[in-house]
C-alpha cells in the first residue's frame, strides 16, 4: 500500500515538475521587469478580483515605470504590456503573429477563422478575405445600415420615448446583429423583430463563458471544465450557433445557384432586387492556394468569425458613443449641427457613402469614444521562439497581453485621459501612433475597421437626427466588464426625447 502511495506521489510530482519547469526558466529570463506576486502552482490568480475588476487589477500591476509586468497564472506565464516600445515591437512584427492561449476558448465557436488562425493559415485567409472590404463593396452596405437603423428608430419611438431610462445597448446590439448578418451572409434574421432569439442568446452566452474561462484557474483546464454546468450550456449553444450558420451557408449557396449565369439578371437576386455582394459570396467562390474550393468547415469558421467580431464590437462602441453624447450636451450639439449641415431640410434623404465620409466631427466623437471605451480592451499574442528585445530575452511560449485600454487612459499619452474631448483627435500629432490602436495595428490589425466606422457613423447619425439625448436622473454609472469585448454589465442607460427636425 505504502509503495502505491509513494508511486502516486512520484507520478504527481513528476507531472507537476514537467508542467511547471518552463516557468522557472521564464521567470529567470524575465528578471529585467517587475513580477506580480505569485503563489506556488496557482501563481498570481489571487491578484484578480472578478471580471468587473480585471481592467483595474491589470492597471495596478502595470503601474510601475517600465509599464510591464511578468505574471504567472497556473502553468502559463504572461508579460502584461502597457509599454509603448514593446507594444510597437510586437504589433509591427511579421513573426509574432500567433494568438495567445486565451483565444482557444472562443475557438470552440470560431474554429481557426481569421481572428484565431495560427500565423501560417492566417496569411492565406487574410489574402482571400481582404477584397471583401473593398470600398466598392462597403459602399453597397450603406443602404442596409440605413434600413436597419430605420427599424431601430421606430422601435425606440414605440418603446422608449420619454421614459425615465432606456438601455440603448439592447436596441443597438439587435440592430448590429441584423446588419452583420445581412451584409456578411446576405440574409435577414430580423432579431429586431424578436426573431431568432435562440441564436442571439447563444451568442451572448458563449461570449460570457469565454471570459469566465480566461480568468478562472480551474475552468481554463479542459479536463475540469467538462464537469461544469457551463460546459453543458456551451455545447448546447455551439450546436445552435453552428447549425444556424450552416443553414445560412446552404441557403446562400442555393440562392447563388438559382441566379442564371450569363444572364442580364445575374446582378439581381431571386426577388428581382439588385444583388449585393456578401462576404459569404466571396468565400463560396474562393479557392485555396492549390486551387481547391474552401470546405464547408472553412467557410463556416469565417462566417462565425465575422458574426462575432462584426457585431459585438460595433454595438458596444455605438452605445458608448450615444451614452457620451447624452452626457455631454455641448458635444451633442456640435455633432447634430453637422447632421443638419449634411441633411438640410430632409432628414430622411437617402444616405450615401459620401455623406458618411463627410461626417468629420462625428468621426472625432467615435474616435474619442473608442479611446475611452475601446471595444477590444486587450490583445494577446504568444511567442513561438525566444526573442531578443533591446538586449533582453522574451522566452519562447510567453503570452504577451497588450493592454490597449491602459494605453488609452495613460496621462503620459493623453492629457486628462478621463475627459471626453473629441477635439483632441483634431490635433493629435501622431507622435505616438501605437498609443491609440483601438483596431490594433500592424499585419494583424482589424480587417473590418472601415466597415465598423461606416456602420457606427450610420447608426449614431440616425439617432442624432431623430432624438435628443439626455442622461438619466441620477446619471447612470456604467459597470465595465472586459469580456472578449468591453461591455457595461448594468446596461448603457440614457433618456430619449423626439428631436424636432422641422425647426431647422
Ligand atoms: C468598433 C469596432 C471594432 C473594433 C474596435 C475592432 C477591433 C479589433 C481588434 C483590436 C482586432 C485585433 C484583435 C486581436 O489581435 O486579437 C480586430 C481583429 C479583427 N476584426 Fe475587428 N474591430 C471592430 C469591428 C470589426 C468588424 C465590424 C469586423 C467585421 C465585419 C471585424 C472583423 C475583425 C477580424 C476578422 C479580425 C481578425 C483580423 C486578423 O487577424 O487578420 N472587426 N478587431
Amino acid at each position: 500500500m505504502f509503495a502505491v502511495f509513494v508511486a502516486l506521489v512520484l507520478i504527481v510530482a513528476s507531472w507537476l515538475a514537467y508542467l511547471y519547469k518552463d516557468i522557472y526558466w521564464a521567470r529567470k529570463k524575465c528578471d529585467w521587469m517587475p513580477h506580480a506576486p505569485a503563489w506556488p502552482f496557482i501563481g498570481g490568480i489571487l491578484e484578480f478580483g472578478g471580471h468587473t475588476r480585471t481592467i483595474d487589477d491589470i492597471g495596478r500591476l502595470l503601474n510601475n515605470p517600465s509599464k510591464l509586468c511578468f505574471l504567472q497564472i497556473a502553468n502559463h506565464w504572461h508579460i502584461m504590456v502597457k509599454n509603448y516600445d514593446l507594444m510597437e515591437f510586437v504589433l509591427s512584427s511579421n513573426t509574432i503573429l500567433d494568438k495567445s492561449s486565451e483565444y482557444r476558448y472562443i475557438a470552440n465557436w470560431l474554429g481557426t477563422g481569421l481572428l484565431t488562425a495560427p500565423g501560417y493559415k492566417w496569411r492565406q485567409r487574410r489574402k482571400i478575405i481582404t477584397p471583401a472590404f473593398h470600398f466598392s463593396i462597403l459602399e453597397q452596405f450603406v443602404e442596409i445600415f440605413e434600413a436597419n437603423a430605420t427599424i431601430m428608430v421606430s422601435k425606440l419611438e414605440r418603446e422608449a420615448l420619454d421614459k425615465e431610462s432606456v438601455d440603448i445597448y439592447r436596441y443597438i446590439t439587435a440592430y448590429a446583429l441584423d446588419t452583420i448578418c445581412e451584409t456578411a451572409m446576405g440574409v435577414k434574421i430580423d432579431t429586431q423583430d424578436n426573431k431568432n432569439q435562440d441564436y442571439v442568446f447563444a451568442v451572448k452566452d458563449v461570449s460570457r463563458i469565454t471570459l469566465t474561462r480566461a480568468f478562472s484557474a480551474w475552468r481554463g483546464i479542459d479536463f475540469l471544465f467538462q464537469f461544469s454546468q457551463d460546459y453543458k450550456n456551451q455545447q448546447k449553444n455551439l450546436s445552435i450557433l453552428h447549425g444556424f450558420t450552416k443553414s445560412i451557408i446552404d441557403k446562400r449557396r442555393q440562392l447563388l445557384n438559382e441566379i442564371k449565369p450569363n444572364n442580364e439578371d445575374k446582378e439581381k437576386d431571386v426577388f428581382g432586387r439588385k444583388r449585393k455582394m456578401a462576404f459569404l459570396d466571396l468565400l463560396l467562390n474562393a479557392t485555396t492556394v492549390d486551387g481547391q474550393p474552401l470546405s464547408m468547415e472553412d467557410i463556416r469558421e469565417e462566417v462565425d468569425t465575422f458574426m462575432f467580431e462584426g457585431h459585438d464590437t460595433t454595438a458596444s462602441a455605438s452605445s458608448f458613443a450615444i451614452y457620451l453624447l447624452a452626457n455631454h450636451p455641448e458635444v451633442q450639439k456640435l455633432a447634430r449641427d453637422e447632421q443638419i449641415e449634411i441633411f438640410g431640410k430632409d432628414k430622411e434623404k437617402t444616405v450615401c457613402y459620401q455623406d458618411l465620409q463627410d461626417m468629420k466631427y462625428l468621426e472625432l466623437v467615435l474616435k474619442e469614444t473608442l479611446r475611452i471605451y475601446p471595444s477590444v480592451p486587450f490583445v494577446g499574442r504568444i511567442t513561438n521562439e525566444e526573442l531578443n528585445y533591446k538586449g533582453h530575452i522574451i522566452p519562447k511560449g510567453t503570452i504577451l497581453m497588450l493592454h490597449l485600454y491602459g494605453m488609452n487612459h495613460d496621462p503620459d499619452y493623453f492629457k486628462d485621459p478621463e475627459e471626453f474631448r473629441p477635439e483632441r483627435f483634431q490635433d493629435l500629432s501622431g507622435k505616438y501612433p501605437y498609443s491609440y490602436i483601438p483596431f490594433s495595428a500592424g499585419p494583424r490589425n482589424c480587417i473590418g475597421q472601415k466597415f465598423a466606422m461606416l456602420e457606427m457613423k450610420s447608426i449614431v447619425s440616425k439617432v442624432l437626427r431623430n432624438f435628443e439625448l439626455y442622461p438619466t436622473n441620477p446619471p447612470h454609472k456604467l459597470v465595465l466588464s472586459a469580456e472578449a469585448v468591453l461591455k457595461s454589465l448594468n446596461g448603457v442607460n440614457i433618456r430619449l426625447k423626439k428631436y424636432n427636425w422641422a425647426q431647422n
Side-chain angles (χ1 to χ4, degrees), residues 23 26-28 30-48 54 56-64 66-74 76-81 401:
I23 289 188
R27 266 186 181 286
K28 273 199 152 347
C30 291
D31 60 2
W32 52 278
M33 70 182 75
H35 286 209
W39 293 84
F41 302 117
I42 57 171
I45 195 79
L46 300 180
E47 295 299 306
F48 293 91
T54 308
D56 290 344
D57 290 338
I58 294 179
R60 181 173 39 77
L61 294 176
L62 286 170
N63 191 11
N64 68 67
S66 72
K67 302 188 192 217
L68 295 171
C69 182
F70 181 94
L71 168 73
Q72 175 205 338
I73 292 194
H76 297 286
W77 67 92
H78 305 64
I79 297 180
M80 315 300 289
V81 183
M401 195 48 81

Side-chain angles (χ1 to χ4, degrees), residues 153-439:
V153 164
S154 316
K155 246 178 110 77
L156 284 170
E157 280 174 347
R158 281 197 309 274
E159 298 172 11
L161 221 47
D162 302 319
K163 292 255 165 73
E164 293 282 287
S165 165
V166 47
D167 178 7
I168 196 74
Y169 177 77
R170 231 168 36 83
Y171 292 86
I172 299 232
T173 202
Y175 155 85
L177 252 180
D178 279 354
T179 302
I180 191 64
C181 206
E182 207 172 332
T183 49
M185 312 216 233
V187 292
K188 287 168 80 61
I189 57 167
D190 299 324
T191 52
Q192 296 199 88
D193 288 335
N194 299 324
K195 299 200 180 121
N196 292 303
Q197 290 304 301
D198 52 346
Y199 180 76
V200 178
F201 179 79
V203 168
K204 282 192 188 145
D205 209 39
V206 166
S207 304
R208 176 191 64 78
I209 294 169
T210 302
L211 172 88
T212 330
R213 296 196 69 194
F215 287 98
S216 156
W218 70 269
R219 280 168 205 264
I221 301 168
D222 291 341
F223 174 74
L224 297 177
F225 178 64
Q226 64 181 321
F227 298 109
S228 71
Q229 180 58 38
D230 266 349
Y231 175 78
K232 289 187 197 123
N233 296 342
Q234 175 181 275
Q235 296 312 99
K236 191 181 108 219
N237 289 327
L238 288 178
S239 110
I240 294 172
L241 293 171
H242 291 159
F244 180 79
T245 323
K246 279 187 179 145
S247 76
I248 300 278
I249 296 169
D250 284 341
K251 263 195 222 157
R252 190 73 189 171
R253 210 191 287 269
Q254 200 186 338
L255 183 80
L256 292 186
N257 288 339
E258 281 168 25
I259 297 166
K260 303 164 207 113
N262 304 322
N263 176 311
E264 72 271 15
D265 282 348
K266 85 175 174 196
E267 288 305 314
K268 302 205 171 144
D269 67 16
V270 285
F271 306 107
R273 293 174 308 214
K274 189 171 186 308
R275 186 165 76 81
K276 294 189 178 55
M277 180 80 172
F279 302 139
L280 179 52
D281 300 355
L282 187 112
L283 295 170
L284 288 168
N285 290 317
T287 48
T288 59
V289 271
D290 42 6
Q292 295 301 311
L294 296 181
S295 68
M296 175 60 135
E297 200 50 27
D298 291 337
I299 296 175
R300 192 213 34 87
E301 61 186 19
E302 293 306 348
V303 171
D304 282 338
T305 296
F306 282 105
M307 287 301 292
F308 167 65
E309 268 290 318
H311 95 276
D312 230 9
T313 47
T314 51
S316 272
S318 311
S319 309
F320 289 138
I322 290 169
Y323 170 85
L324 286 165
L325 287 167
N327 284 278
H328 295 83
E330 66 300 344
V331 177
Q332 186 182 154
K333 179 171 178 336
L334 291 175
R336 187 170 298 98
D337 285 351
E338 181 180 71
Q339 298 297 311
I340 295 168
E341 210 171 289
I342 292 171
F343 286 86
K345 291 265 163 252
D346 183 9
K347 80 172 158 80
E348 298 305 338
K349 89 170 170 114
T350 310
V351 185
C352 65
Y353 183 80
Q354 191 54 46
D355 292 329
L356 297 179
Q357 294 295 87
D358 290 343
M359 295 177 189
K360 302 283 183 216
Y361 188 72
L362 187 51
E363 187 160 319
L364 300 182
V365 169
L366 291 168
K367 281 186 171 164
E368 178 69 339
T369 303
L370 282 169
R371 185 188 66 78
I372 297 184
Y373 301 118
S375 306
V376 180
F378 304 101
V379 162
R381 299 283 165 88
I382 190 160
T383 56
N384 50 24
E385 58 185 350
E386 187 166 287
L387 301 174
N388 183 320
Y389 165 70
K390 292 185 169 181
H392 299 303
I393 290 177
I394 298 178
K396 180 178 173 183
T398 301
I399 295 169
L400 293 157
M401 195 48 81
L402 311 180
H403 193 9
L404 308 193
Y405 182 100
M407 289 292 262
N408 294 353
H409 289 258
D410 188 329
D412 287 351
Y413 305 112
F414 295 96
K415 192 165 174 277
D416 304 323
E418 302 315 320
E419 277 183 25
F420 177 60
R421 276 209 314 255
E423 286 74 13
R424 72 170 84 230
F425 280 95
Q426 237 157 8
D427 46 43
L428 211 65
S429 60
K431 206 165 136 205
Y432 295 114
Y434 285 83
S435 64
Y436 177 72
I437 42 172
F439 294 103

